[in-house]
Amino acid sequence: MTSTPQHAEMDCHAISEAFLALHEQDGFARLPPSSLLHDSVPMSFVMSAGLIQVENDLDTIVQSTGGKFAFTQPCFRHFDMKQVGGDPTRLSLFHMSAAFHIGSTERETVLPRLWYFLTQTLGLDKDRLWVTYLDDAEFGRDEASYQCWQTLGVAEERLVGLDQQHCFWRQRSTGQIASDGKKCGPHTEVFYERDVACPACDNREQPIGNCRCGRFVEISNSLFIENYIDDDGRLIPAGTVFAECVLGVERLAMILQQVTSVHDTLRFQAWRNALIPLFNHQQPANAEHSIRIISDHLSAFVKLTQDGAPAPGRGGRRAIIRNLLRRTMTEVLISEIEIPRAISAVQALIADQGTVLRLHQEYERFSHTVGRGKNKLSHFLALKIPISSKVLMKFQRTYGIPVVLSQHFLTQTDWQTLPAEPCRDRHDCK
């Protein structure tokens, strides 16, 4: 399969602007994005381009927009940090363009507009696009979406029916649009197939998009919220229905720019240019993994700080910021680079001196933690006490030194027995 996407010069901003402009032509009002710090998620940050950012003012927004509005929202998912670096499509901070129509779930308007955007505006090859839709033993088939995709010319073999686990959405937040907290409905996704060799994908060993090889990339999801589920699991018609169509902006940029991962897109070019000279001593594969993590985490830290995130600390948002920075610094240390040197390399990209100061302050605190952890490791080594994976996990919980960093320090000694079960995640072992 060979084809070259059009508009390879489009960056994330251009993709977002094209999506919003198309919807403005169809009568959608453009709303500004929300801050990543939202009162409805006081212990974390905004994680998706959902209704959570507009629910408190929904009546006013519907009145002023007619219920049709679109925006591009930055999102931060702290629980995705562990997948950054290894998954070519995963970021902790990313952007989603979204269009909402309150009071309507007509597939005949949402899906043709989306298809036009993907195949005409962006020029994606139709032969690389796959579509999933709900086809479930309990909830049945989303016939409206299925028929609409067929009408648009999607080949039968590229229409993939999946069960409710993959193509049925339940809203768990509460608010004006979800007063019962159980709004739900089918959704349909669009995937782009890249030239990535993967036997598991060839054999369809998992539902499309579940493999992390990066061959099938989810680029869009359209939700049609028409019901809620009662305590007995029955679907009850919702008083207020709505449709939502969202795009993964960085993933589309990766496809259009024909790069290997979202970390190689133009968005990260300046970060990569600043970091690459620090890694000349490392093997290319190791350096690439580290550069992805550091650039993702530092760019997220800058954005979160700009939006008002608190200084690193204990609990809630403070703990998330601390974890973000300490994962970054751990990656720098296991790459045999001095942290002040790394901060100096990217300082011009951070610009705000207050943010740079926070980095230095957290470095001082982390250095103390690491030093104490190394002393405890040395004590165990001096006493000839076996150091197992369980011991390293206890060190992490008790002294705060990440398991991967303890392992790195131990490989520099005469300690030869590595933990029997290596951690699944590079930074944590829980």
Side-chain angles (χ1 to χ4, degrees), residues 108-293:
E108 296 80 4
T109 56
V110 174
L111 300 183
R113 186 190 302 114
L114 171 63
W115 193 247
Y116 177 87
F117 177 76
L118 296 175
T119 62
Q120 300 299 315
T121 305
L122 300 186
L124 298 183
D125 185 354
K126 297 178 182 179
D127 292 336
R128 287 182 174 268
L129 299 178
W130 294 73
V131 175
T132 64
Y133 63 94
L134 179 67
D135 192 358
D136 183 71
E138 180 181 1
F139 294 149
R141 183 160 82 170
D142 179 9
E143 197 67 38
S145 292
Y146 175 77
Q147 293 295 338
C148 190
W149 287 121
Q150 278 204 323
T151 300
L152 289 168
V154 180
E156 180 69 27
E157 62 270 16
R158 291 181 176 271
L159 279 168
V160 182
L162 296 178
D163 61 17
Q164 60 180 282
Q165 181 181 352
H166 299 91
C167 282
F168 193 81
W169 184 82
R170 293 170 173 83
Q171 187 170 5
R172 291 178 172 82
S173 63
T174 58
Q176 295 181 40
I177 201 68
S179 58
D180 50 51
K182 297 180 181 179
K183 286 286 190 294
C184 61
H187 63 87
T188 176
E189 303 164 323
V190 180
F191 291 82
Y192 184 90
E193 184 177 5
R194 301 196 300 165
D195 292 326
V196 175
C198 178
C201 287
D202 287 338
N203 300 328
R204 294 293 188 270
E205 295 177 7
Q206 300 184 67
I208 186 171
N210 275 26
C211 183
R212 293 183 180 176
C213 67
R215 176 167 171 174
F216 293 99
V217 180
E218 181 187 347
I219 56 176
S220 178
N221 190 5
S222 299
L223 296 79
F224 304 101
I225 308 307
E226 302 167 316
N227 301 97
Y228 73 87
I229 300 178
D230 66 14
D231 293 336
D232 297 322
R234 294 174 300 186
L235 295 181
I236 308 299
T240 301
V241 301
F242 65 93
E244 174 187 5
C245 178
V246 296
L247 297 176
V249 176
E250 279 85 359
R251 293 181 178 186
L252 280 168
M254 173 186 71
I255 292 166
L256 292 175
Q257 295 166 25
Q258 303 178 68
V259 292
T260 303
S261 76
V262 288
H263 306 275
D264 300 298
T265 58
L266 295 174
R267 174 189 154 188
F268 290 102
Q269 188 174 67
W271 289 96
R272 294 179 64 84
N273 289 344
L275 291 168
I276 285 173
L278 302 178
F279 289 85
N280 290 336
H281 64 288
Q282 274 204 324
Q283 294 294 322
N286 295 334
E288 179 59 33
H289 188 274
S290 297
I291 290 169
R292 289 180 178 185
I293 293 174

Side-chain angles (χ1 to χ4, degrees), residues 391-404:
V391 170
L392 296 185
M393 285 188 283
K394 183 177 180 180
F395 273 29
Q396 178 172 281
R397 291 190 297 267
T398 306
Y399 306 113
I401 182 170
V403 170
V404 67

Side-chain angles (χ1 to χ4, degrees), residues 312-325:
R314 295 181 179 273
R317 290 171 175 165
R318 289 182 178 275
I320 293 173
I321 295 295
R322 182 176 66 176
N323 189 29
L324 185 68
L325 290 184

Side-chain angles (χ1 to χ4, degrees), residues 6 77 127 312 335 371 376:
Q6 300 177 32
R77 295 181 180 175
D127 292 336
S335 300
K376 292 297 180 180

